[in-house]
């Protein structure tokens, strides 16, 4: 009995040990509950800018742009879909793309004091569209100065004709203006611009060949003056151009001591007129020696002198200087023509001879007066270009 109880006790104790071990093992193998994660925070979505980059020239907001320049818009990493540049009242400025549509440039000229606005779009290589925007303004001159040419398109002039640009205001920066001037000829002709004292409302500059023009020469003058800064706030108002012809060579030889006026045309003498020149004993009445240039002519010209007390109308008057010298008819001096000089400085011919010369005279024909002690000069006004030597003439250039 005692042995049975002992065995049972051992079995019981062993069973308890097994249960206890199994329980412990079960605790060890049981999975721990998972930790609750914190609430998730969504990351901000990144915004990627379009890759197409647009550049403007002039820069947006500029208000000092010279209208002679072009306006250009360019795009990198993309191409243009559409480009417009508009001025006042929505008027579009003409322009064109380059071959790969990465730039657009104006072909129309801009205007002074005007605002222009960009519009359109470009598409980048990423497929995103970028709009064109912004505006710029051109400069507003304090004053615009206009230049005019003395010889119009299609005219025919004589071999001593100067080309003149007459400005209606003062040009302070003569070099800038002269850079904008050009003369091209159908045959080689050496010449130079020369600035004369302001007259006729403003500055003036002449182009004169070194020697008389070759007859038959075609001459094209371009004065690209729009937008040129003349200094002192003045700018060129507009371009002017002209293409004209040099006619036959007609040169008058007027030796006052011969009392004759000889006309040489294309190297041949075609006329020999009896003439009377200015009275030699009065320097104020001497016909000036030097190369005169025909500037205008009149069928009837009123001539007045308070100093010498005459007021008369003369026929077939051809002006050869701005000091009152003409070649004209004068029946009153008919007895002296061919033998004596009695005039007040003009070249007097008979009515028939004056009419014959008048009919052949062109603007720019030279009249070479010789034999008097008083020389034609700048104070005689108008066209005195040929009174200067070539070196002195070249020195009048601003360049």
């Amino acid at each position: 009995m005692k042995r049975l109880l002992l065995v049972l006790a051992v079995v019981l104790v062993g069973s308890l040990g097994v249960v206890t071990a199994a329980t412990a093992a079960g605790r060890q193998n049981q999975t721990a509950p998972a930790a609750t994660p914190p609430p998730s925070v969504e990351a901000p979505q990144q915004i990627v800018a379009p890759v197409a980059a647009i550049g403007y020239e002039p820069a947006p907001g500029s208000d000092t742009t010279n209208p002679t320049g072009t306006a250009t818009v360019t795009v990198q990493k993309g191409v243009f879909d559409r480009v417009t540049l508009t001025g006042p009242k929505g008027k579009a400025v003409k322009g064109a793309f380059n071959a790969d549509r990465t730039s657009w440039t104006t072909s129309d000229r801009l205007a002074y004091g005007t605002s222009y606005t960009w519009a359109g779009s470009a598409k980048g290589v990423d497929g995103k569209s970028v709009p064109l925007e912004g505006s710029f303004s051109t400069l507003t001159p304090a004053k615009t100065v206009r230049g005019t040419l003395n010889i119009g398109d299609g005219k025919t002039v004589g071999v001593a004709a100067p080309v003149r640009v007459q400005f209606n205001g003062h040009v302070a920066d003569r070099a800038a203006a002269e850079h904008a001037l050009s003369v091209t000829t159908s045959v080689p002709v050496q010449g130079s611009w020369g600035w004369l004292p302001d007259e006729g409302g403003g500055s003036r500059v002449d182009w004169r060949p070194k020697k008389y023009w070759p007859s038959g020469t075609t001459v094209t003058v371009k004065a690209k003056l729009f937008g040129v800064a003349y200094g002192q706030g003045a700018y060129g108002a507009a371009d002017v151009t002209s293409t004209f012809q040099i006619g036959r060579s007609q040169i008058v030889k007027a030796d006052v001591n011969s009392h004759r006026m000889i006309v040489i045309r294309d190297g041949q003498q075609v006329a020999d007129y009896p003439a009377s020149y200015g009275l030699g004993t009065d320097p104020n009445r001497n016909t000036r020696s030097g190369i005169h240039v025909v500037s205008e002519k009149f069928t009837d010209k009123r001539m007045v002198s308070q100093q010498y007390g005459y007021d008369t109308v003369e026929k077939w008057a051809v002006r050869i200087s701005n000091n009152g010298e003409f070649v004209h008819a004068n029946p009153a001096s008919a007895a002296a023509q061919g033998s004596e000089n009695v005039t007040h400085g003009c070249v007097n011919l008979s009515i028939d001879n004056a009419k014959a010369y008048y009919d052949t005279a062109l603007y720019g024909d030279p009249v070479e007066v010789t034999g008097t002690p008083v020389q034609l000069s700048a104070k005689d006004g108008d066209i005195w270009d040929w009174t200067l030597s070539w070196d002195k003439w070249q020195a009048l250039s601003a360049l």
Side-chain angles (χ1 to χ4, degrees), residues 11-12 30 56 67 88 172 195 257 271 274 276 301 319 321 348 358 360 382:
V11 172
L12 181 60
Q30 186 176 355
Y56 301 90
W195 289 85
N257 296 316
S276 180
K301 176 65 176 175
R319 184 188 293 277
S321 78
N348 284 184
Y358 174 96
T360 68
D382 202 28

Side-chain angles (χ1 to χ4, degrees), residues 367-381:
V367 176
E368 300 176 353
V369 177
T370 56
T372 71
V374 182
Q375 297 295 309
L376 186 73
S377 67
K379 66 182 180 181
D380 293 297

Side-chain angles (χ1 to χ4, degrees), residues 143-198:
K143 180 181 181 181
T144 56
V145 173
R146 187 172 299 277
T148 56
L149 286 168
N150 63 326
I151 306 173
D153 270 327
K155 299 293 186 181
T156 298
V157 298
V159 296
V163 175
R164 173 166 295 174
V165 181
Q166 176 68 58
F167 298 90
N168 68 346
H170 180 65
V171 174
D173 191 341
R174 293 178 168 183
E178 194 172 328
H179 271 300
L181 308 176
S182 68
V183 176
T184 57
T185 54
S186 59
V187 296
V189 178
Q190 184 180 1
S192 175
W193 292 100
W195 289 85
L196 309 178
D198 282 18

Side-chain angles (χ1 to χ4, degrees), residues 10 27 55 66 70 117 121 143 147 163 171 217 235 238 251:
V10 172
R27 288 175 180 170
N66 192 308
T70 56
T117 302
S121 63
K143 180 181 181 181
V163 175
V171 174
T217 303
Y235 283 80
I251 302 169

Side-chain angles (χ1 to χ4, degrees), residues 256 287-292 325 369-377 387:
V256 303
T287 306
R288 276 32 180 168
S289 287
I291 299 175
H292 299 62
E325 292 176 319
V369 177
T370 56
T372 71
V374 182
Q375 297 295 309
L376 186 73
S377 67
T387 68

Side-chain angles (χ1 to χ4, degrees), residues 247-267:
R248 80 288 174 271
S249 171
Q250 179 163 293
I251 302 169
V252 168
K253 301 289 187 177
D255 179 2
V256 303
N257 296 316
S258 71
H259 313 300
R260 314 292 297 185
M261 191 184 98
I262 297 172
V263 181
I264 308 294
R265 188 177 305 141
D266 294 326

